[in-house]
Amino acid sequence: MIKSLLIANRGEIACRIIRTARAMGVRTVAVYSDADAKALHVRQADEAVHIGPSPARESYLVGEKIIAAAKQTGAEAIHPGYGFLSENADFAQAVIDAGIVWVGPNPASIRAMGLKDAAKERMIAAGVPVTPGYLGEDQSPDRLATEAAKVGYPVLIKAVAGGGGKGMRRVDAPEDFADALLSCQREAASSFGNSQVLIEKYILSPRHIEVQVFGDTHGNVVHLFERDCSLQRRHQKVIEEAPAPGMDEITREAICAAAVKAAKAVDYVGAGTIEFIADASDGLRADRIWFMEMNTRLQVEHPVTEEITGQDLVEWQLRVASGEPLPKRQDELAIDGWAMEARLYAENPATGFLPSTGPLDYLWLSQDLRIETGVEEGDAISPFYDPMIAKLVAHAETRDQALSDLAEGCAQVMCEPVKTNAWFLARLLKEPAFAAGDVTTGFIADHAEGLTSAPQPGPALLQAAADQAIFHDDFVIGRVGDPDFDRLRGMLGFRLNAPVNRGIWLAVDGRATQVDYVGEWGRSSYFDDNPGYVQIGQSTTLFENGAAFETRPYRAEGAGAAGAAADGAILSPMPGRIIAVEVTAGETVTKGQKLLTLEAMKMEHSLVAPFDGTVAELGAETGGQVSEGAVLARIERAA
């Protein structure tokens, strides 16, 4: 068995690997960039090595530095986690050539499945059904447009080296193809160093079904059943579950057998996932499920498979990498109950899911769920990496119970000052169609308005805010049961020696709000049901259904602060790089027209005109780095 392990990753997955390694008695080595010097995975590992500046391309993506760190610390093996170099065949080979154990598939298998076009050709040869499309070498825009027309719209443009939802664009009409192709190629080149794409038929009622497979060096390959990952936004998974709702045993047997056949076709070793696209217009049927791609690594959503099978997949990885056979035979694996996972991100769904960075001054997550995280209260969300805070996982006997538990856990999330998608997740989980298992990969986009509209505070929260507006102290954090909280409740019991005016004006997230106070001063029932809040001076943040609301006594002189864009100023929502400027100074624009594109946190973000008008100022240029709040342009309203 491996005795020492370097984790070539960061954040949640690094912490996850460390936990299992420690339980197995394996010494762990972390690597970290400047931004991660005090990160949780660094604190948890037995040893840590600095590998470079904050940008991933100068640290986590530099294989030579990681191999040098392994040699320096005497690590016997390297586990790549997911993302970064996990599916880089050249890095895997370099690790092996350095005499270090690679916890992953053979480089040849990674190469065989790493490019989507080559993988599809191999699957066709192996008898695995694939979606119709174009896999050719001719990447000229005219040829790609011609092939898209042959396939028939809508089509999906996909980076052949893509993953994680990046480098993918749906195109519904020929006139939109050129712009979508350019954007897809640009993102693919930036994320993967390869701008080549393929064209695929877009299934109109698609569900994303994937199968966990595992192989060893003794020729054994098994599956650990399927997962449903249909709830996605921009091809990024949001909620995953296992098993897949509506999957009968005949279809399950067929899709899992196809997955094993695919893995055997590339002599697969270690953890992998075969992803399928299903046409669910007539339910899940074996003859309407096609191979999409293979991920030659551990998946983000692997905990739901662990929950329904009772297996530790990281332990399996370490045992297989040590030369041991698979811990279980196929006939020893079975499904037990139902599991669901939600990805908690530092982002604001009400502002187009813009990432939110900064310190996690206050963070509370339900203790009734399995929590996979790479941060703790007091840490920070960096602008350099994926903004995931945690994965929340529920496991129960039935799907209904797992769904209910996860929805409650998402609604209980409390985080400040970083914004999260917790309220969006809670709202999504309560959608009747999802509860019925009737969803496709387009569900979130189709219901975006109702799912992403900004949450509004309820009556109980407003009553509590009224209490805090009148009785405030200078402590920072309060929780039920803490001495500071009890001290506050004692203070709230006093009455004012003046006539009571029960109409109270508050500023709630910068909006003037009048509250008709109906309770007894300082006795709001809100504090009996909520384990925490944040107060700084007269500003109090209260939490409800996964949302955070900043409240304070209303001051008329501050009323204009909430309308930052009312004057037409286009501000950078976060630090990033301008990759496209679509307008020129003096140009006439219409409301919603794209002005420029900002690349930040590994994603592209379009900034649009807030109203009809003229570009009065333009302070952005392609390639320029900008800071959060920088004025990029100003639109002068049309007369």
Side-chain angles (χ1 to χ4, degrees):
M1 172 57 63
I2 294 167
K3 294 294 189 296
S4 58
L5 177 71
L6 183 142
I7 299 113
N9 219 296
R10 64 175 301 280
E12 171 269 323
I13 186 57
C15 294
R16 165 71 188 88
I17 296 166
I18 289 170
R19 185 174 72 244
T20 288
R22 180 179 292 122
M24 297 175 68
V26 177
R27 183 175 71 91
T28 57
V29 179
V31 292
Y32 65 92
S33 68
D34 289 346
D36 282 339
K38 298 181 180 179
L40 183 60
H41 75 282
V42 174
R43 303 196 300 268
Q44 289 184 343
D46 296 307
E47 190 173 354
V49 179
H50 177 248
I51 56 170
S54 300
R57 64 181 177 276
E58 300 177 46
S59 50
Y60 296 106
L61 289 173
V62 183
E64 294 85 355
K65 292 183 178 181
I66 292 170
I67 292 172
K71 290 181 176 180
Q72 173 188 329
T73 57
E76 297 176 52
I78 291 178
H79 193 309
Y82 56 72
F84 292 140
L85 294 171
S86 62
E87 295 181 280
N88 186 309
D90 291 339
F91 175 63
Q93 188 63 58
V95 170
I96 295 168
D97 291 344
I100 301 170
V101 175
W102 168 250
V103 184
N106 297 321
S109 299
I110 299 175
R111 288 192 179 92
M113 302 303 273
L115 296 178
K116 293 178 172 61
D117 53 351
K120 284 194 170 187
E121 290 171 352
R122 185 177 288 265
M123 291 302 100
I124 292 171
V128 178
V130 303
T131 47
Y134 171 70
L135 311 173
E137 291 294 326
D138 187 346
Q139 292 286 295
S140 66
D142 287 345
R143 177 61 184 276
L144 292 171
T146 298
E147 294 297 334
K150 289 181 181 178
V151 172
Y153 287 92
V155 299
L156 193 63
I157 307 173
K158 298 173 68 173
V160 299
K166 298 178 182 64
M168 300 176 69
R169 297 292 187 275
R170 172 181 170 174
V171 188
D172 293 310
E175 57 268 23
D176 300 327
F177 186 83
D179 286 345
L181 174 63
L182 182 62
S183 177
C184 183
Q185 290 174 325
R186 187 168 55 212
E187 187 172 85
S190 173
S191 298
F192 315 111
N194 184 341
S195 63
Q196 189 168 342
V197 301
L198 59 83
I199 307 297
E200 213 173 63
K201 177 66 178 174
Y202 189 88
I203 308 302
L204 290 175
S205 296
R207 279 179 60 182
H208 181 121
I209 310 293
E210 60 187 35
V211 177
Q212 178 72 60
V213 294
F214 230 105
D216 63 21
T217 56
H218 303 273
N220 302 308
V221 178
V222 300
H223 68 80
L224 289 92
F225 309 102
E226 82 282 357
R227 300 184 286 256
D228 190 309
C229 306
S230 297
L231 279 181
Q232 304 178 7
R233 189 188 72 83
R234 294 181 64 181
H235 307 291
Q236 182 72 45
K237 299 163 188 174
V238 177
I239 291 174
E240 304 100 348
E241 61 182 306
M247 178 74 72
D248 59 41
E249 286 302 323
I250 293 176
T251 305
R252 173 173 292 121
E253 183 176 341
I255 189 175
C256 289
V260 170
K261 183 186 294 185
K264 287 182 175 180
V266 293
D267 300 320
Y268 199 76
V269 172
T273 299
I274 311 297
E275 299 196 345
F276 296 89
I277 190 76
D279 179 354
S281 57
D282 192 26
L284 292 179
R285 290 172 33 185
D287 61 348
R288 293 192 178 186
I289 300 177
W290 301 280
F291 170 87
M292 280 198 304
E293 62 189 46
M294 181 178 192
N295 288 312
T296 52
R297 54 170 167 80
L298 196 65
Q299 291 281 87
V300 178
E301 59 272 19
H302 76 273
V304 294
T305 294
E306 292 184 325
E307 291 296 317
I308 66 164
T309 61
Q311 304 303 309
D312 184 328
L313 297 189
V314 175
E315 179 182 344
W316 278 43
Q317 286 186 296
L318 296 180
R319 293 194 179 282
V320 166
S322 299
E324 297 182 14
L326 293 175
K328 297 281 186 180
R329 300 189 310 270
Q330 190 67 68
D331 60 3
E332 295 176 310
L333 295 166
I335 295 174
D336 177 22
W338 213 285
M340 285 190 185
E341 173 183 292
R343 302 188 188 189
L344 181 68
Y345 276 99
E347 62 186 11
N348 188 353
T351 58
F353 293 89
L354 288 177
S356 177
T357 61
L360 295 167
D361 290 341
Y362 184 54
L363 178 64
W364 191 93
L365 305 175
S366 172
Q367 301 307 298
D368 296 328
L369 300 176
R370 171 176 171 175
I371 304 295
E372 297 290 350
T373 184
V375 293
E376 293 179 329
E377 185 174 280
D379 291 338
I381 299 298
S382 165
F384 294 100
Y385 314 114
D386 186 88
M388 180 186 286
I389 295 176
K391 299 184 305 196
L392 313 182
V393 186
H395 179 229
E397 291 186 7
T398 66
R399 184 176 188 269
D400 287 347
Q401 188 59 55
L403 189 155
S404 176
D405 292 347
L406 186 57
E408 183 177 356
C410 290
Q412 291 175 346
V413 169
M414 292 184 285
C415 184
E416 173 68 16
V418 168
K419 303 298 182 186
T420 81
N421 65 339
W423 57 267
F424 166 78
L425 295 171
R427 195 178 286 181
L428 184 57
L429 288 161
K430 293 175 182 177
E431 278 288 317
F434 178 67
D438 182 20
V439 296
T440 67
T441 56
F443 184 85
I444 291 177
D446 293 342
H447 297 77
E449 185 174 349
L451 291 171
T452 62
S453 58
Q456 301 301 314
L461 184 144
L462 292 175
Q463 295 296 309
D467 276 343
Q468 299 296 78
I470 299 169
F471 299 91
H472 63 273
D473 201 359
D474 60 357
F475 65 89
V476 177
I477 298 292
R479 290 188 178 84
V480 174
D482 287 352
D484 278 343
F485 182 89
D486 295 336
R487 177 163 60 88
L488 174 70
R489 289 301 300 271
M491 291 176 61
L492 294 181
F494 293 103
R495 288 180 176 274
L496 297 178
N497 296 318
V500 175
N501 176 7
R502 293 187 175 273
I504 299 173
W505 280 96
L506 302 173
V508 181
D509 287 342
R511 298 185 300 272
T513 305
Q514 187 175 30
V515 179
D516 182 15
Y517 194 80
V518 297
E520 182 181 356
W521 297 123
R523 298 297 182 186
S524 169
S525 63
Y526 170 91
F527 297 105
D528 296 329
D529 302 320
N530 290 271
Y533 62 93
V534 179
Q535 183 168 350
I536 303 175
Q538 292 190 22
S539 174
T540 304
T541 299
L542 301 172
F543 304 94
E544 185 175 60
N545 295 324
F549 298 93
E550 183 186 16
T551 67
R552 63 175 67 236
Y554 177 73
R555 297 287 184 265
E557 62 270 20
D567 62 352
I570 307 302
L571 309 180
S572 176
M574 70 199 80
R577 182 172 68 93
I578 302 297
I579 60 173
V581 178
E582 309 287 346
V583 295
T584 58
E587 183 176 337
T588 300
V589 296
T590 58
K591 180 179 179 180
Q593 180 178 338
K594 184 161 68 172
L595 305 175
L596 49 89
T597 303
L598 176 73
E599 182 183 58
M601 302 188 81
K602 303 194 296 183
M603 297 293 285
E604 292 186 6
H605 307 276
S606 296
L607 303 182
V608 302
F611 40 70
D612 295 348
T614 302
V615 181
E617 297 178 16
L618 185 61
E621 58 182 26
T622 302
Q625 294 286 338
V626 296
S627 58
E628 182 176 357
V631 178
L632 306 179
R634 186 173 63 82
I635 308 302
E636 191 173 272
R637 192 183 295 271

